[in-house]
Amino acid sequence: MVVQIKVNELSIGVAVLYNPSCTNPNFSQHYEKVLLDMLDFGFDRTYIVGDFNINVAAGSPSAKATSVSNISDHEVVYLVADIRVHRTCQRTIRARNFRNIDQLQLQADFQAKDLRRLFGSADINEKATVLNSELTSLLDAHAPERTVTIRDERTPWITQQIKEAVELRNLALKLYARNPNRTRGDVQWLDFERKRDRASSLIFAAKKRYAELNFSHDLPAKKLWSNLKRDGIHNSTKQCSSSADISADELNNFFSDGHRRLGPAATQRSAPRAPNHRTAIDHGANGFSFRHTSVEEICRKIFEIDTNATGTDGIPISFLKMLCPFILPVLCHLFNAIIDSRTFPALWKTAIVTPIPKTSNPALPKDYRPISVLPAVSKVLEKILLNQITEHLDNPNNRLLARNQSGYRKGYGTTTALAKVTHDIYGNLDAGRCTAMVLVDFSLAFNCVDHHLLAAKLNREFQFSGPACELVSSFLRGRKQSVRHGSALSAVREVTDGTPQGPV
């Protein structure tokens, strides 16, 4: 049967062919005549449909009956294909389950700890080591580390209710398939359809709720892009296979001393030393010194930290929050002892560095930016010290920062810098003057910071007292780092100069 269809000015011919028996010797002639007749009509488009299941079995009766390929008369088509199914390797990670922690029991176990060694020791490193050891033992007891298999990373909307509905649906389908007398429309089939529809509706509703919660236009731009990146719905141009050629140790070597190879005279550069032409200045009452913290301030700073990234100590900030308020006096004693001794614990100076691509095709170590992840307890102290430094620098009676500085200041940023530059340019245009701009970019600027020069500048220009400079120097000295690149972790390497990127 051939049907002509007119769609606007387009003439379409649709032919439906069916051969009730492959033994019909005249079928091929009829088939050819139909095709020639369709060509005579001059269709703009021609479509031929029908039972074109060709029997490829060499020993079949229909194949021996005629010498041409046959249009099927519903004989069974037999095909053997060797298809290699690529199964992705299931990824496993080591993780702790914090959801099932009994917080009351955890707090009771912490109160039962004997911390006399921590309070009685005069060594800051020993105090930090004792605290880390006791917290790690609590972690292992209440949230032991276990191996978790990542089966599907793209279904965060799956709930326990959906899992149960899917299991009931699959069970109903199995019961129907095992019934030799099954028919579409019987009781078992209707039961399967009802459970299938319920599972589908639950999945649809869960996906809709997840999308409205995580991808709404009402979310802040930073949070929205973070959610898109987390679920893989983002521009992945920075994820290039060329980065696999760079090992974690290569990146660690570059991040620790790559700045020494910059410039033509890099090979002749000597080790940094303390400048002998500058002497410490005693600013008296106007000098800045770190003051003791309090339990209330520590509590506020702990709950200000949103990220749950875990440093080398393996203790996340969420675990410290569970131990509040009982851990606060311990942290207060430790932090005040650090301020008094002007010594930063060596345990908190080892960072895990994550390389972030700076270009779309990172091929060299310089195409990555290092971001350091430090212990959570260290972040709390850093926030406290930063708050005191900010108060000193932004003192309205003695402002020490440049008036037009926009970087690293509360209430300032790239927007204020661009607004100032734009205002100056338009002001000069209105006054008929020319504007000249000099833009300077320092390669690996943070890595090039000299600790001795920084301490001298803090003392002379920013009125830091001697003890305050000593604590800052102790924070920067003796640092170590290892790079985590993909699943590889580099060896620990000492960092002799520069400031880590990632701390508060």
Side-chain angles (χ1 to χ4, degrees):
M1 181 176 65
V2 181
V3 179
Q4 182 182 15
I5 302 174
K6 289 263 190 175
V7 180
N8 296 330
E9 300 299 326
L10 193 65
S11 176
I12 302 174
V14 180
V16 181
L17 305 177
Y18 176 63
N19 181 21
S21 174
C22 285
T23 57
N24 182 6
N26 299 321
F27 176 77
S28 58
Q29 288 83 356
H30 294 321
Y31 181 26
E32 183 179 357
K33 182 177 183 303
V34 170
L35 295 179
L36 293 175
D37 291 342
M38 293 181 68
L39 292 176
D40 293 338
F41 276 94
F43 294 120
D44 297 319
R45 301 283 188 274
T46 302
Y47 299 95
I48 302 174
V49 297
D51 273 338
F52 287 94
N53 299 321
I54 298 175
N55 188 352
V56 295
S60 65
S62 59
K64 295 178 180 179
T66 60
S67 60
V68 297
S69 296
N70 297 305
I71 305 300
S72 172
D73 61 349
H74 295 288
E75 290 182 359
V76 176
V77 177
Y78 180 73
L79 177 67
V80 176
D82 184 11
I83 301 175
R84 294 181 179 272
V85 180
H86 176 69
R87 296 184 180 274
T88 57
C89 297
Q90 292 184 337
R91 190 166 65 92
T92 60
I93 59 173
R94 298 286 293 174
R96 299 181 187 270
N97 184 9
F98 291 92
R99 295 181 180 178
N100 299 329
I101 290 182
D102 185 346
Q103 189 168 348
L104 294 178
Q105 184 61 45
L106 172 65
Q107 293 174 350
D109 292 345
F110 177 78
Q111 289 178 284
K113 291 286 185 180
D114 185 5
L115 299 176
R116 287 177 296 179
R117 183 179 160 205
L118 186 150
F119 287 99
S121 175
D123 186 359
I124 293 299
N125 291 316
E126 185 179 4
K127 288 177 180 289
T129 302
V130 170
L131 177 62
N132 183 78
S133 176
E134 297 297 345
L135 292 179
T136 303
S137 64
L138 287 174
L139 266 178
D140 294 336
H142 290 267
E145 198 174 43
R146 56 196 179 95
T147 302
V148 179
T149 302
I150 307 297
R151 291 184 173 85
D152 194 348
E153 298 178 348
R154 300 293 179 86
T155 54
W157 54 82
I158 296 295
T159 62
Q160 187 61 32
Q161 185 183 20
I162 292 176
K163 292 180 180 179
E164 293 174 357
V166 170
E167 289 179 0
L168 292 175
R169 178 201 64 188
N170 296 340
L171 179 60
L173 181 60
K174 286 182 180 179
L175 293 176
Y176 170 77
R178 290 175 181 174
N179 185 3
N181 300 321
R182 61 182 180 273
T183 57
R184 292 289 179 95
D186 61 10
V187 176
Q188 284 185 324
W189 177 257
L190 294 177
D191 181 58
F192 162 70
E193 282 189 328
R194 185 173 63 256
K195 294 177 179 177
R196 179 197 62 190
D197 294 343
R198 181 175 182 272
S200 300
S201 63
L202 288 174
I203 293 174
F204 177 79
K207 286 183 178 180
K208 185 178 179 181
R209 285 194 304 270
Y210 183 81
E212 291 174 350
L213 181 64
N214 293 275
F215 309 128
S216 172
H217 291 290
D218 299 331
L219 291 174
K222 184 177 181 180
K223 181 64 175 177
L224 176 61
W225 282 108
S226 175
N227 294 343
L228 292 172
K229 183 177 181 180
R230 179 195 62 207
D231 288 344
I233 314 171
H234 70 295
N235 186 358
S236 58
T237 55
K238 291 189 176 182
Q239 297 177 356
C240 181
S241 58
S242 62
S243 63
D245 299 332
I246 305 175
S247 67
D249 287 301
E250 286 182 273
L251 290 170
N252 197 17
N253 293 340
F254 180 78
F255 292 155
S256 59
D257 60 3
H259 59 287
R260 299 182 183 277
R261 300 192 292 268
L262 294 176
T267 56
Q268 302 175 3
R269 181 182 300 173
S270 59
R273 58 184 178 85
N276 52 15
H277 62 283
R278 295 186 180 183
T279 57
I281 299 176
D282 184 7
H283 298 280
N286 294 328
F288 168 73
S289 297
F290 290 108
R291 64 179 182 272
H292 281 187
T293 184
S294 63
V295 170
E296 293 76 13
E297 184 180 21
I298 295 174
C299 185
R300 289 197 308 270
K301 298 306 177 183
I302 287 178
F303 284 92
E304 284 179 7
I305 301 176
D306 296 327
T307 176
N308 208 37
T310 304
T312 53
D313 60 348
I315 301 172
I317 195 65
S318 59
F319 191 68
L320 297 182
K321 294 177 181 178
M322 292 181 183
L323 291 171
C324 287
F326 304 102
I327 196 175
L328 298 179
V330 180
L331 294 179
C332 186
H333 168 80
L334 177 60
F335 292 167
N336 290 334
I338 292 173
I339 293 173
D340 290 337
S341 65
R342 312 161 197 173
T343 304
F344 202 82
L347 183 66
W348 299 348
K349 293 184 182 182
T350 302
I352 298 177
V353 177
T354 300
I356 305 298
K358 295 191 291 185
T359 63
S360 58
N361 289 302
L364 298 172
K366 67 181 181 66
D367 298 330
Y368 289 87
R369 176 184 294 106
I371 300 298
S372 302
V373 180
L374 294 171
V377 184
S378 173
K379 291 180 183 178
V380 179
L381 177 58
E382 290 172 22
K383 290 184 75 69
I384 294 171
L385 301 182
L386 173 65
N387 185 62
Q388 297 182 19
I389 293 174
T390 304
E391 290 179 359
H392 169 66
L393 296 178
D394 287 338
N395 185 354
N397 300 323
N398 183 28
R399 290 192 179 275
L400 298 171
L401 293 178
R403 183 169 58 90
N404 294 326
Q405 177 176 329
S406 293
Y408 309 101
R409 294 181 70 185
K410 188 175 182 179
Y412 293 81
T414 55
T415 303
T416 56
L418 290 173
K420 176 65 171 63
V421 173
T422 305
H423 177 269
D424 291 345
I425 293 175
Y426 277 115
N428 289 339
L429 288 174
D430 293 340
R433 293 192 297 266
C434 178
T435 301
M437 296 179 63
V438 179
L439 307 178
V440 181
D441 180 28
F442 291 96
S443 298
L444 304 176
F446 285 97
N447 301 47
C448 297
V449 173
D450 183 276
H451 297 167
H452 301 295
L453 295 176
L454 176 60
K457 185 170 183 177
L458 290 175
N459 175 248
R460 297 178 65 87
E461 299 185 28
F462 295 103
Q463 301 177 5
F464 274 50
S465 65
C469 291
E470 289 182 30
L471 181 55
V472 173
S473 298
S474 177
F475 173 79
L476 297 175
R477 282 196 313 266
R479 287 201 162 268
K480 299 177 182 179
Q481 66 181 30
S482 62
V483 173
R484 178 179 285 127
H485 187 44
S487 58
L489 185 66
S490 72
V492 178
R493 187 179 177 89
E494 188 174 356
V495 182
T496 57
D497 48 12
T499 61
Q501 298 181 52
V504 178

